[in-house]
Amino acid sequence: MWGIELQRHEDLTLARQIYQTLRVQMTAGQLQPGDVLPATRELARQLAVSRNTVYEAYEMLSAEGYIVSRPGSKTRVAPGLKLEQPPLAVETAPQLQPAYSYKADFKTGQPDLRCFPKHLWLQLLRRAAEQAPAAEWGYTGPAGLPALRAEIASWLLRSRGLTVLSQNIFVTAGATQALHLLAELLCVEGREIIVEDPCHSGMLRVLEQHGGHIRPVPVDHQGLQTENLHGKQACAVYVTPSHQFPLGGILPAGRRTELIRFARENDLYLIEDDYDSEFRYSGPPVAPLCSMDPARVIYVGTFSKILFPALRIGYVILPPDLHSSWRQLRTYADVQNPPFEQAALAEYLRTRKLDRHVQQMRRIYGHRRQVLLHTAAGLFGNTWQAWGDAAGLHLALEFPGRRFDQDFARHCKEKGIRITPVEQHSICKGRHLAKLLLGYGHLDASEIISGIRLLHDHIQKQV
Amino acid sequence: MWGIELQRHEDLTLARQIYQTLRVQMTAGQLQPGDVLPATRELARQLAVSRNTVYEAYEMLSAEGYIVSRPGSKTRVAPGLKLEQPPLAVETAPQLQPAYSYKADFKTGQPDLRCFPKHLWLQLLRRAAEQAPAAEWGYTGPAGLPALRAEIASWLLRSRGLTVLSQNIFVTAGATQALHLLAELLCVEGREIIVEDPCHSGMLRVLEQHGGHIRPVPVDHQGLQTENLHGKQACAVYVTPSHQFPLGGILPAGRRTELIRFARENDLYLIEDDYDSEFRYSGPPVAPLCSMDPARVIYVGTFSKILFPALRIGYVILPPDLHSSWRQLRTYADVQNPPFEQAALAEYLRTRKLDRHVQQMRRIYGHRRQVLLHTAAGLFGNTWQAWGDAAGLHLALEFPGRRFDQDFARHCKEKGIRITPVEQHSICKGRHLAKLLLGYGHLDASEIISGIRLLHDHIQKQV
């Protein structure tokens, strides 16, 4: 009756089914403007449903303006409902999750999640949520929880000797978001962002997203070659001075001084991305560039690599003149971080559990790095050299005379090896063809050894 | 000795203190390029610390390029370290948190956090985190957890009769982020975003952030006046068809049809913000505009108002042709949502606990709305009228002949009353001066009654 076929569908009420069928008939033109609808009693009888059900369906149609009914007169279809063509069908093929399983997976930037003290973390998280005052279930502000900002300040002093006021620390949803908002904050139409070349291709995309013009400046074994900094057209410089990504150099003091001078002369900000300097194996973490001039350097830190990526907590240290624009930007970007993870992290820092975890992981990662170097030496002889400072979760290896390009990476993938040519992070192509990047943080010793063996076999065959 | 004063500082190692003092001397020019540093043994004796401590400090200075030492020769200060002027001191006054306490707080968009089943939620959260596979502690992708996307699809069918494939649902860090990314996705240089006027001022700021030109189209008691839609210059229309913010109208079917037609003719997208339609007191939630043409309408939903704002989970329903750009945008904005809350929410949905919570809150909020209307009727007689559909967590009241502007809001604040004139959300000023917005979701009956009394006293005095 009326083309309505009711189904005892567990998720859709009968009223909703009646409503939907009639609605489709009106927009498709089967029911025309002015057409009279049956009385609720009548339709209920025909469909063998209660009169209330039909009444509810009519109420919905009426609230949304599909039908017009006045006391004492019949219920009619409203005018102007027909759409010229039916809505396009929206269909896509089901998404296939590429569950590709590598035999040797040297992807970069991956901490070992197996070593993270999950149980302890979950305890802290539960306690933080249980103890959170009611207000923390509402909006707690774009800067982050005060307790976490204070603990980050204290952690920066302990781990890097960096003195920073907690009010200059702004919590973010990871380092990516920090950079995303900084690009929005600092980008000026027609001016350039200076970046290292090579530079993390993901971060480069973040900076480009805002239409920033990118000016690459080459990198050597000591990081950014500051003698190539010039031009008055820049609005910011993005650097990784503690451990250049991907080549691993520590920016030396002289170049740091030049960078600061350049920033002052050109009235711009330096963005210092300190993505993994906790894990330095030959000494304490390098001092942040930020300590040389906190009014010119914006420091970006993250806990993704120390704890786990899913945490989504990072931070920026901002000079006071940027605070209010930052608050606005963050508010209108995504309001704030969820509070419970923030509170749990504050407690993890306050009780020095983070310090102990970093210490332990530094030992583990340092050992893995040794295993990698040792295995490579055994298999590749003296045909290669390692780049950069002994730090972080990845290593750049150079094989002079070799050519590692996209094709090489693809062939590796076919053999079950995930590996990144440095070239993939190069802006001006062709200068780093002989270098490969190997992430080792997430692999244990035996995985590293078998991985390097696979890689060796593959490279040998190519000759 | 050497100006180094060591302090048994619990957070800063002695080596770090030596390093920092020497570094300051070099950048300030007290130590000049080429100056010879004392031997480690010598300095250790002078400072009464172990030789290893001094060695560690020198290692840091050397790694960072402050000093140069070669086997068999003395350790010297590196060239080019002096900065022309000392870094600017960075100081700000401590931030004062405005802990202003209102006697009557009619702020809008605030659910009652006292009614949320926190204990149950924390149980789900803990279980979700405990049961999360290792991979979920890493990166789980910009679209959101598949389980949550499927549960949202099923919830949309149950609650609004909306049929949507879970692969078209993308989880976001709240509705604000959804809009932030949509503005980035859809904004085209030189084209306009059409918005309702009045329109939520916060959301307007989100859209403007990307330099989008805003074209306001007026709203009446039925929402957007689609007869005023014209021009080929628009790239998107932002609407709240289920419950116009702030005036509360339901967009009738005829206007919906016109909107869809406008979108098709001008090849643009409609952004449908469904911020609170779960809470409809006179019938089931209004059907989303999205159901009329899923290829033209992008639906934005949120759980902030149903559960709690700190959750930071919302979602968008996107037509397939926008999927890949969205994934990119989200990846380079902040990568993804944290996974455990997503998993907990999926479970909360799967077990129909959300349905029960919404049902319960609908009763509570509906009652509060009645109390508000009843109290206002008792005190203000027939000098006012309510706007909009019986839905949501706020009400727009009109007092013909009155003038509620910023000054009025400020005077109210002085009396301890937080209230928003509709004018604050108006783009073209002056058309809604007689209307006030009252958020009531977070207030219990007695708070509402005493709040309306205070407001009444204040308004009477003003005459």
Side-chain angles (χ1 to χ4, degrees):
Chain A
M1 207 16 88
W2 287 84
I4 301 172
E5 289 177 32
L6 297 178
Q7 296 182 326
R8 306 283 149 173
H9 187 303
E10 70 170 288
D11 279 337
L12 216 52
T13 63
L14 295 174
R16 178 75 76 181
Q17 292 179 50
I18 298 171
Y19 155 86
Q20 285 188 338
T21 311
L22 291 174
R23 209 190 65 170
V24 167
Q25 293 175 352
M26 295 178 207
T27 51
Q30 292 153 274
L31 281 174
Q32 296 284 335
D35 277 2
V36 174
L37 258 62
T40 50
R41 184 194 304 267
E42 175 65 16
L43 188 57
R45 199 184 52 75
Q46 291 174 357
L47 296 172
V49 298
S50 83
R51 192 172 166 193
N52 265 343
T53 299
V54 178
Y55 185 79
E56 193 182 324
Y58 277 27
E59 196 281 333
M60 288 157 79
L61 288 168
S62 164
E64 296 169 32
Y66 285 95
I67 56 175
V68 183
S69 62
R70 285 198 188 74
S73 74
K74 293 184 167 147
T75 300
R76 291 176 187 276
V77 177
L81 300 182
K82 193 184 169 202
L83 274 172
E84 288 71 6
Q85 49 181 355
L88 302 169
V90 172
E91 275 184 26
T92 56
Q95 289 167 349
L96 295 171
Q97 292 295 332
Y100 196 86
S101 174
Y102 291 95
K103 283 181 266 179
D105 189 351
F106 291 111
K107 72 175 156 180
T108 55
Q110 195 66 15
D112 193 337
L113 299 174
R114 296 169 292 194
C115 299
F116 182 72
K118 287 183 199 175
H119 189 71
L120 169 67
W121 176 258
L122 293 180
Q123 267 184 351
L124 289 175
L125 186 62
R126 191 185 59 214
R127 211 175 304 150
E130 278 169 2
Q131 293 173 354
E136 280 183 17
W137 292 72
Y139 295 105
T140 46
L145 292 190
L148 177 59
R149 299 164 78 195
E151 287 302 335
I152 292 176
S154 149
W155 152 252
L156 285 170
L157 180 65
R158 292 200 301 280
S159 66
R160 294 161 171 78
L162 183 64
T163 308
V164 51
L165 298 172
S166 69
Q167 73 222 40
N168 293 332
I169 296 177
F170 290 76
V171 176
T172 66
T176 301
Q177 185 188 44
L179 211 58
H180 168 70
L181 296 182
L182 285 175
E184 206 161 322
L185 193 65
L186 304 179
C187 261
V188 178
E189 183 79 29
R191 292 178 69 185
E192 295 166 329
I193 302 179
I194 295 177
V195 301
E196 301 164 332
D197 181 14
C199 164
H200 191 287
S201 60
M203 292 301 148
L204 196 64
R205 295 290 287 277
V206 174
L207 294 172
E208 283 175 335
Q209 202 87 44
H210 288 277
H213 292 280
I214 299 296
R215 174 195 284 263
V217 169
V219 159
D220 63 14
H221 65 286
Q222 292 193 309
L224 188 74
Q225 293 181 291
T226 44
E227 63 269 31
N228 294 315
L229 284 173
H230 49 73
K232 305 271 178 209
Q233 289 306 311
C235 55
V237 183
Y238 170 72
V239 276
T240 52
S242 293
H243 188 225
Q244 203 276 329
F245 189 93
L247 296 181
I250 300 178
L251 197 68
R255 293 191 184 177
R256 286 172 190 242
T257 310
E258 270 186 69
L259 248 184
I260 300 278
R261 211 178 280 140
F262 179 75
R264 288 182 186 171
E265 282 169 9
N266 293 282
D267 193 22
L268 52 78
Y269 291 98
L270 307 174
I271 303 173
E272 173 178 28
D273 187 353
D274 188 6
Y275 61 101
D276 72 357
S277 78
E278 288 77 17
F279 301 122
R280 183 153 185 261
Y281 312 116
S282 57
V286 170
L289 179 64
C290 171
S291 62
M292 289 179 77
D293 191 348
R296 283 288 164 204
V297 183
I298 298 167
Y299 179 94
V300 177
T302 175
F303 292 99
S304 298
K305 305 258 188 320
I306 316 184
L307 299 174
F308 56 99
L311 179 63
R312 312 310 312 134
I313 300 186
Y315 56 95
V316 281
I317 305 176
L318 291 172
D321 50 327
L322 294 178
H323 288 192
S324 88
S325 342
W326 176 273
R327 281 172 185 275
Q328 259 199 32
L329 258 184
R330 179 77 207 265
T331 301
Y332 298 122
D334 68 343
V335 189
Q336 63 167 71
N337 276 52
F340 307 142
E341 280 90 350
Q342 291 187 72
L345 179 56
E347 193 61 10
Y348 196 70
L349 282 160
R350 192 186 67 75
T351 52
R352 303 290 193 267
K353 297 212 164 58
L354 184 84
D355 304 52
R356 281 195 283 281
H357 179 62
V358 165
Q359 230 166 29
Q360 189 196 348
M361 294 315 294
R362 194 185 288 149
R363 264 197 309 276
I364 294 175
Y365 293 144
H367 174 66
R368 290 176 180 179
R369 188 185 152 89
Q370 286 307 321
V371 170
L372 197 163
L373 290 170
H374 184 78
T375 312
L379 289 170
F380 290 106
N382 57 1
T383 63
W384 62 285
Q385 65 192 66
W387 270 65
D389 183 47
L393 306 178
H394 75 271
L395 196 55
L397 298 187
E398 180 170 11
F399 294 79
R402 294 269 182 184
R403 195 186 158 82
F404 303 120
D405 51 15
Q406 277 203 317
D407 282 349
F408 174 81
R410 207 180 49 249
H411 291 145
C412 280
K413 190 176 170 184
E414 285 159 11
K415 299 286 172 202
I417 306 167
R418 169 146 61 178
I419 197 158
T420 317
V422 168
E423 197 64 4
Q424 193 175 304
H425 295 289
S426 289
I427 303 171
C428 302
K429 297 292 179 191
R431 300 197 303 114
H432 299 281
L433 272 167
K435 303 188 190 79
L436 281 178
L437 277 186
L438 287 86
Y440 56 81
H442 58 300
L443 303 174
D444 65 27
S446 70
E447 290 166 329
I448 291 170
I449 293 170
S450 67
I452 296 288
R453 279 195 189 132
L454 257 181
L455 179 67
H456 175 255
D457 292 352
H458 180 60
I459 290 184
Q460 288 308 101
K461 270 182 213 145
Q462 288 217 309
V463 182
Chain B
M1 205 19 87
W2 287 83
I4 301 172
E5 288 177 30
L6 296 179
Q7 296 183 328
R8 306 284 149 172
H9 187 302
E10 69 169 290
D11 278 339
L12 217 51
T13 63
L14 294 174
R16 179 74 77 179
Q17 292 179 50
I18 297 169
Y19 155 86
Q20 285 191 336
T21 310
L22 291 173
R23 207 188 68 169
V24 166
Q25 292 175 354
M26 293 176 206
T27 50
Q30 290 151 277
L31 282 175
Q32 297 282 336
D35 278 2
V36 174
L37 258 62
T40 50
R41 185 193 305 269
E42 176 63 17
L43 188 58
R45 199 186 49 75
Q46 291 175 358
L47 295 172
V49 298
S50 83
R51 193 172 164 195
N52 265 344
T53 300
V54 178
Y55 185 78
E56 194 182 322
Y58 277 27
E59 197 280 333
M60 287 158 78
L61 288 167
S62 164
E64 296 170 32
Y66 286 97
I67 56 176
V68 183
S69 61
R70 284 199 187 74
S73 74
K74 293 186 166 145
T75 300
R76 293 175 187 275
V77 176
L81 301 181
K82 194 184 165 200
L83 274 172
E84 288 71 6
Q85 48 179 355
L88 303 168
V90 171
E91 275 185 26
T92 56
Q95 290 168 347
L96 295 171
Q97 292 294 334
Y100 195 86
S101 173
Y102 290 96
K103 283 181 268 181
D105 190 351
F106 291 111
K107 74 176 157 181
T108 55
Q110 195 67 17
D112 194 336
L113 300 174
R114 296 169 292 194
C115 299
F116 182 71
K118 288 184 199 177
H119 189 71
L120 169 68
W121 176 257
L122 294 180
Q123 268 184 351
L124 290 175
L125 186 62
R126 189 184 62 215
R127 211 176 303 150
E130 277 169 3
Q131 294 174 352
E136 280 185 17
W137 293 71
Y139 296 105
T140 45
L145 292 189
L148 177 58
R149 298 165 78 195
E151 287 302 336
I152 292 176
S154 149
W155 153 252
L156 286 170
L157 180 64
R158 292 201 301 280
S159 66
R160 294 160 171 76
L162 183 64
T163 308
V164 52
L165 298 172
S166 69
Q167 72 223 39
N168 293 333
I169 296 177
F170 290 76
V171 176
T172 65
T176 301
Q177 187 189 42
L179 211 57
H180 168 71
L181 296 182
L182 286 174
E184 207 160 320
L185 192 66
L186 305 179
C187 261
V188 177
E189 184 78 31
R191 291 179 67 186
E192 296 165 332
I193 302 179
I194 295 177
V195 301
E196 301 165 331
D197 181 15
C199 165
H200 192 287
S201 59
M203 293 300 147
L204 196 64
R205 296 290 288 276
V206 174
L207 294 173
E208 284 174 333
Q209 203 87 43
H210 287 276
H213 292 279
I214 299 296
R215 173 195 284 262
V217 168
V219 159
D220 62 14
H221 65 286
Q222 292 193 311
L224 189 75
Q225 293 180 288
T226 43
E227 63 269 32
N228 294 314
L229 283 175
H230 49 74
K232 304 271 176 206
Q233 289 309 308
C235 54
V237 184
Y238 171 72
V239 274
T240 52
S242 293
H243 188 224
Q244 202 275 330
F245 187 94
L247 295 181
I250 299 178
L251 198 69
R255 293 192 184 177
R256 288 174 188 241
T257 310
E258 271 185 69
L259 249 182
I260 300 277
R261 211 176 281 140
F262 180 76
R264 289 183 186 172
E265 282 169 8
N266 293 281
D267 192 23
L268 51 78
Y269 291 98
L270 308 174
I271 304 173
E272 171 178 29
D273 187 353
D274 188 7
Y275 61 101
D276 72 358
S277 80
E278 289 77 15
F279 300 121
R280 184 154 184 261
Y281 312 117
S282 56
V286 169
L289 178 65
C290 171
S291 62
M292 290 178 76
D293 191 349
R296 283 288 164 203
V297 184
I298 299 168
Y299 178 93
V300 177
T302 176
F303 292 99
S304 298
K305 305 258 187 322
I306 316 183
L307 298 175
F308 56 98
L311 179 63
R312 313 308 313 135
I313 299 184
Y315 56 93
V316 281
I317 304 175
L318 291 172
D321 49 328
L322 294 178
H323 288 192
S324 90
S325 342
W326 176 273
R327 281 171 185 275
Q328 261 199 29
L329 257 186
R330 179 75 207 268
T331 300
Y332 298 122
D334 68 343
V335 188
Q336 64 167 71
N337 276 52
F340 307 142
E341 280 91 349
Q342 290 186 70
L345 179 56
E347 193 61 12
Y348 196 71
L349 283 160
R350 193 187 65 79
T351 53
R352 304 288 193 268
K353 297 215 162 56
L354 185 85
D355 305 51
R356 280 195 284 280
H357 180 62
V358 165
Q359 229 167 30
Q360 188 195 352
M361 294 315 293
R362 194 185 288 148
R363 263 197 309 276
I364 294 175
Y365 292 146
H367 175 66
R368 290 176 181 180
R369 188 184 149 91
Q370 286 307 321
V371 170
L372 199 163
L373 290 170
H374 185 79
T375 313
L379 289 169
F380 290 106
N382 58 1
T383 63
W384 61 284
Q385 66 192 68
W387 271 65
D389 183 47
L393 306 178
H394 75 269
L395 197 55
L397 299 187
E398 180 171 12
F399 295 80
R402 294 269 181 183
R403 194 185 161 81
F404 303 119
D405 52 14
Q406 277 203 315
D407 282 348
F408 175 81
R410 208 177 51 247
H411 290 146
C412 280
K413 191 177 172 184
E414 285 160 12
K415 299 286 173 204
I417 306 167
R418 169 146 62 179
I419 197 158
T420 316
V422 168
E423 195 66 2
Q424 192 175 305
H425 296 289
S426 289
I427 303 172
C428 302
K429 297 293 180 190
R431 298 198 304 115
H432 298 281
L433 272 166
K435 302 187 192 79
L436 280 179
L437 277 186
L438 288 86
Y440 57 81
H442 59 300
L443 303 174
D444 65 26
S446 70
E447 289 166 329
I448 291 171
I449 293 170
S450 67
I452 296 289
R453 280 196 189 132
L454 256 180
L455 180 67
H456 176 256
D457 291 352
H458 179 61
I459 290 184
Q460 288 309 102
K461 270 182 211 144
Q462 288 216 310
V463 182

